[in-house]
Amino acid sequence: MNEMTPKTRYEIAVVHGDGIGPEVCEAGLRTIKAALPDEGKLAFREYPAGARLWQETGVSFPEETFNACRDADAIFHGAAGLPEVTAPDGTEPGLDFGLQLRFRLDLYANIRPIKLHPGVTSALRHFEPGEIDYVILRENTEGFYAARGGGNVVRGEIASDTSIITRKGTERIVRKAFELARSRNGAPRDGRKRVTCCDKANVLRSYAFFRRVAREVAEDYPDVELDFALIDAMTVHLVKRPDFYDVIVTENMFGDIISDLGAATVGGIGMSPTAEVGDDNGFFQAAHGSAPDIAGRGIANPIGTILSGGLMLTWLGERHRDNALIDAGARIDRAVGKVIRDPGLLPGDLGGTATSAAITDAVCEALAG
């Protein structure tokens, strides 16, 4: 990450997206503004992209929007795509916004915190808040997803996509995992700073290569333990012993799958924030989709997007050595933890009845208090 000096003003490109995207995005923006005492420190600029735009114009991600995102200090997003809006090949053009950003801006690190907050009952009933607190670091530009748009279907009988894993891509994501582990407090179970490499090295050469490169990088971090888990076993471990994990690093598709599994153990993907970062750009959104079936009803869970706003402030603050932003990011996390202790402020996906507006209001009040 390229460190810079603090700025008096940061430009944030905002794309509301589809379905519940505008609702949760607005909730996130409200809390970001409430967390910062200096109202002029962030300048928010809105740009169009998504499935609805594709329906109207035939373009889901205008070049003007891409240029604005590339040049902004950070990108903040609601949600993308509508399942009923598909291209002739069956893919969803609304998803191009996030996918193109990843590849064109080289956002190689998908950072997914999995944290059980107070007030949330885990599906793993015997784990308490504080006992599930790890980060999944997913390589974001390689694997099978690098083949998007380039796969083959032959005579309607054979379909193929190619997975790509490179030394450069593996080295940088594993190194980021070790750096992240150094900055954390270790695994809840034993306090050990630990990086777990999740792969399928016992079957496929590409994953054996991923594991071999991870071992090489680990030699530079003798203070952090290196651990390994096969992807099939990992789906069991994240249910049986999630408190063992600190930072999990894996390739693109495996990371996509286990991050949703992890989210299910801490309240669901509505609680799950995401940061997708490279050396020069950062993109922040919740892990969930656009949920068009509940759009406009005011019941969408805004917490994942609110927490993503906190991740954005933390990333910007660390990148620019700006303590005001770092503090604001931490305050958002604490405010969410305070609010969801109240059963009357739990959203529907956590068994409550609170509206998105009520939850957002409460988080803003906690930030003001």
Side-chain angles (χ1 to χ4, degrees):
M1 181 174 65
N2 298 328
E3 290 187 348
M4 304 177 181
T5 57
K7 300 173 67 172
T8 57
R9 193 171 178 84
Y10 299 88
E11 295 284 334
I12 311 299
V14 178
V15 176
H16 291 279
D18 302 304
I20 62 171
E23 301 168 47
V24 296
C25 191
E26 186 58 34
L29 293 174
R30 281 189 58 202
T31 54
I32 289 168
K33 294 172 184 176
L36 276 173
D38 182 355
E39 295 183 1
K41 201 170 186 69
L42 300 181
F44 299 97
R45 306 279 187 257
E46 297 182 6
Y47 301 96
R52 194 65 68 198
L53 182 69
W54 185 84
Q55 273 189 318
E56 296 169 355
T57 67
V59 177
S60 63
F61 189 12
E63 195 67 14
E64 295 82 0
T65 299
F66 170 75
N67 291 335
C69 291
R70 178 197 61 205
D71 296 338
D73 292 296
I75 307 153
F76 193 64
H77 184 227
L82 295 172
E84 72 274 14
V85 179
T86 59
D89 65 358
T91 61
E92 292 185 41
L95 303 181
D96 282 345
F97 174 64
L99 290 168
Q100 286 196 44
L101 281 180
R102 291 171 189 171
F103 292 108
R104 296 177 70 181
L105 297 181
D106 199 22
L107 306 179
Y108 62 87
N110 186 310
I111 304 169
R112 186 75 66 84
I114 305 295
K115 179 179 179 179
L116 182 59
H117 286 272
V120 177
T121 301
S122 174
L124 310 177
R125 301 288 172 152
H126 53 293
F127 286 97
E128 299 292 334
E131 293 181 335
I132 302 177
D133 187 356
Y134 59 89
V135 178
I136 295 173
L137 200 55
R138 163 190 171 192
E139 202 293 318
N140 213 31
T141 62
E142 298 187 350
F144 278 108
Y145 295 172
R148 178 175 168 83
N152 294 295
V153 178
V154 181
R155 297 185 298 276
E157 297 292 337
I158 302 171
S160 66
D161 289 296
T162 302
S163 177
I164 302 296
I165 293 179
T166 69
R167 174 171 289 278
K168 176 184 176 181
T170 304
E171 282 181 346
R172 65 184 182 178
I173 195 67
V174 172
R175 192 167 299 281
K176 184 170 282 290
F178 275 95
E179 294 292 341
L180 181 59
R182 273 185 171 173
S183 71
R184 288 171 47 84
N185 295 322
R189 174 179 290 192
D190 54 17
R192 298 286 297 273
K193 294 181 184 295
R194 178 180 295 116
V195 169
T196 299
C197 176
C198 177
D199 55 45
K200 193 62 176 171
N202 61 332
V203 174
L204 297 174
R205 288 179 177 176
S206 57
Y207 294 114
F209 174 75
F210 190 97
R211 180 177 288 206
R212 184 166 67 250
V213 174
R215 288 188 188 277
E216 293 172 7
V217 173
E219 293 177 2
D220 294 334
Y221 299 88
D223 53 318
V224 180
E225 177 182 310
L226 176 62
D227 173 55
F228 295 100
L230 299 173
I231 180 60
D232 44 346
M234 179 61 87
T235 63
V236 177
H237 297 332
L238 292 184
V239 173
K240 293 290 189 179
R241 53 169 192 166
D243 57 337
F244 176 80
Y245 295 101
D246 182 18
V247 176
I248 300 169
V249 63
T250 188
E251 63 82 54
N252 207 338
M253 182 174 286
F254 291 168
D256 193 7
I257 294 168
I258 65 171
S259 59
D260 279 7
L261 171 61
T265 69
V266 295
I269 55 176
M271 294 292 296
S272 186
T274 302
E276 301 182 43
V277 305
D279 292 332
D280 299 305
N281 299 91
F283 170 45
F284 301 85
Q285 61 177 348
H288 59 68
S290 63
D293 56 319
I294 61 170
R297 296 169 56 188
I299 60 173
N301 182 353
I303 294 175
T305 306
I306 289 171
L307 291 171
S308 297
L311 290 181
M312 182 180 77
L313 294 177
T314 300
W315 178 80
L316 275 173
E318 292 176 348
R319 177 174 170 80
H320 291 272
R321 305 178 191 177
D322 192 324
N323 289 330
L325 294 181
I326 294 172
D327 178 66
R331 290 178 61 231
I332 287 177
D333 189 74
R334 291 196 298 269
V336 167
K338 178 180 179 181
V339 166
I340 60 177
R341 283 186 173 95
D342 184 346
L345 290 171
L346 289 177
D349 56 348
L350 293 182
T353 58
T355 64
S356 178
I359 296 167
T360 307
D361 288 344
V363 174
C364 290
E365 289 171 10
L367 287 165

